[in-house]
Amino acid sequence: MKPKNLQKTKPKHKDALVPKAYAFISTVFLSNKYFNYGLCALVIFEFMFNFLIIKKVAYTEIDWKAYMQQVDIYLNGERNYNNIYGDTGPLVYPAGFVWIYTLMYYITERGQNILRAQYIFMGLYIVTLITVAKIYRMDKKVSLVYVLMLSVSKRLHSIYVLRLFNDPFAFFFALLGTLYLAKRKIVVSSILFSLGISIKMNVLLWIPGVMFCIFVMGGIQSVLISILVIVGIQIIVGLPFLLTFPKEYLVKSFEFGREFMFKWTVNWRMIGKDIFLSQEFSKMLLAIHLLLLLFAVILWSRPYNGIFKVIKNGIFGTKNKKMLQS
C-alpha cells in the first residue's frame, strides 16, 4: 500500500473551474458591472447583423412607395389632407410624418434608392437601441441580459430594415421622451413625446402613463404645462395645414374612429375577419384598455401611499418625497 502522501490526487484548480466560470458568467450577464462594455459589443453585433439582413434578405414593399407618393403630392403644393394619398390609401398621419418623409424623399432620390433608406433605418435602429439601454441603465438593478434580449426580436428587425415603416421614427422620439422623463426634464420630455405624436398617433397611448409620472413629480401645474407644450408643438408642426385646411387635417391625421383593415393585422388574425371588424370587438378592446389603465394607475400609486394620497399631493402641491428620492 502506497503512503498517503504519494497517492495521486486531482488538482484542486480543476475542481474550481466550474464555479469560477459560473461566477464569471453571472457577473457579466446578471449584474450591471460590465453593462457599458456589453452595450458596446451589442451595438457592434447589431451593426453587422443588420448589415447582413439588408444584404441577404429581400426588402418587402408595403408602405414606403405610398409614403413617397403622398410626399410627392404635398411637394407639388397640395395642403388638403383629403387630396393627399398613395397606393395604400389617403394620408392619415400628422404633419411630423410629412416632414420626416420629405427629408427621406430627398435623401433617397425621390424614394428610389431603397438601399440608402435601409441604411438610414439601420442607424435609427441602433440609436434607438442605445436609447433604450440608457433607460435601463438608470435602474442599477438591471443587468446586461435585459439589454441582450432587445436583439432577439425578428419582427423588430423586419420593421426597421425590411419594411421602412414610420413607427421607428415615432417611437424613437417617444423613447427619448421617456429617457428625459426619467431624468425629470418634464418640458424636454413633453416636446419629444409631442414630436412622436406628430409622426404617428399611436404614441398617444403612452400619454396616460406619462401624465401620471408628471403628476406625481410636479403636481397638476406640471401636468398643465406639459399639455400646453404638447399641444403647442402640434400646432407648430401642423401649421401649414392648419392655416389652409384645418378641418381636413385634424379629421384625417387624428381620426379616432378609423376602422383598420383585417388584411393588415398581425396580432388578431386568429380571430377571423368578421369578429375583427365588428363594433363589439372594438368596444371590448377599448373597455379592456381602460380597465388595465385604471389597474396600472392604482398599482403605480402603491409606493406613494395609494391613489388618493397621490391625487391629494398632486392637487395641493405637496411634494412626494418618495418620488423625488427614487
Side-chain angles (χ1 to χ4, degrees), residues 47-208:
F47 181 84
M48 296 186 294
F49 186 53
N50 279 278
F51 183 80
L52 191 64
I53 292 173
I54 293 171
K55 288 296 183 182
K56 298 296 183 180
V57 183
Y59 160 77
T60 303
E61 172 56 48
I62 297 179
D63 284 335
W64 173 261
K65 185 178 178 182
Y67 292 165
M68 296 298 103
Q69 291 169 340
Q70 291 164 355
V71 167
D72 189 63
I73 292 172
Y74 161 76
L75 291 174
N76 284 324
E78 184 60 68
R79 297 296 179 269
N80 187 337
Y81 254 53
N82 288 338
N83 298 329
I84 302 177
Y85 52 88
D87 287 346
T88 58
L91 175 57
V92 293
Y93 305 118
F97 162 86
V98 177
W99 310 138
I100 289 288
Y101 277 87
T102 295
L103 181 62
M104 293 292 290
Y105 179 89
Y106 287 119
I107 293 175
T108 60
E109 301 168 7
R110 297 189 175 187
Q112 298 303 309
N113 195 330
I114 302 294
L115 183 61
R116 188 177 297 171
Q118 287 180 286
Y119 285 135
I120 292 171
F121 273 84
M122 181 178 76
L124 180 61
Y125 174 88
I126 292 172
V127 172
T128 304
L129 177 71
I130 294 171
T131 302
V132 176
K134 288 177 74 67
I135 295 171
Y136 286 0
R137 191 72 175 93
M138 296 186 76
D139 187 341
K140 301 302 181 183
K141 296 179 181 179
V142 173
S143 61
L144 183 61
V145 70
Y146 292 99
V147 182
L148 296 176
M149 288 173 65
L150 296 173
S151 296
V152 301
S153 173
K154 176 183 176 182
R155 185 177 178 187
L156 200 59
H157 288 91
S158 175
I159 287 172
Y160 275 82
V161 298
L162 296 179
R163 302 293 188 271
L164 311 182
F165 290 147
N166 59 349
D167 303 77
F169 285 107
F171 286 114
F172 168 70
F173 285 108
L175 288 165
L176 203 58
T178 303
L179 177 62
Y180 277 92
L181 183 64
K183 294 180 177 181
R184 292 166 177 77
K185 305 291 184 181
I186 293 175
V187 173
V188 176
S189 176
S190 300
I191 292 171
L192 291 166
F193 272 109
S194 189
L195 290 173
I197 294 168
S198 76
I199 298 169
K200 194 165 186 178
M201 190 178 64
N202 56 4
V203 178
L204 280 171
L205 294 171
W206 298 48
I207 297 303

Side-chain angles (χ1 to χ4, degrees), residues 214-226:
I214 293 174
F215 185 76
V216 172
M217 284 190 287
I220 192 68
Q221 183 179 356
S222 295
V223 170
L224 293 174
I225 291 171
S226 177

Side-chain angles (χ1 to χ4, degrees), residues 302-313:
R302 289 177 64 183
Y304 315 115
N305 302 317
I307 188 170
F308 296 109
K309 189 70 174 179
V310 168
I311 293 171
K312 180 182 176 182
N313 291 343

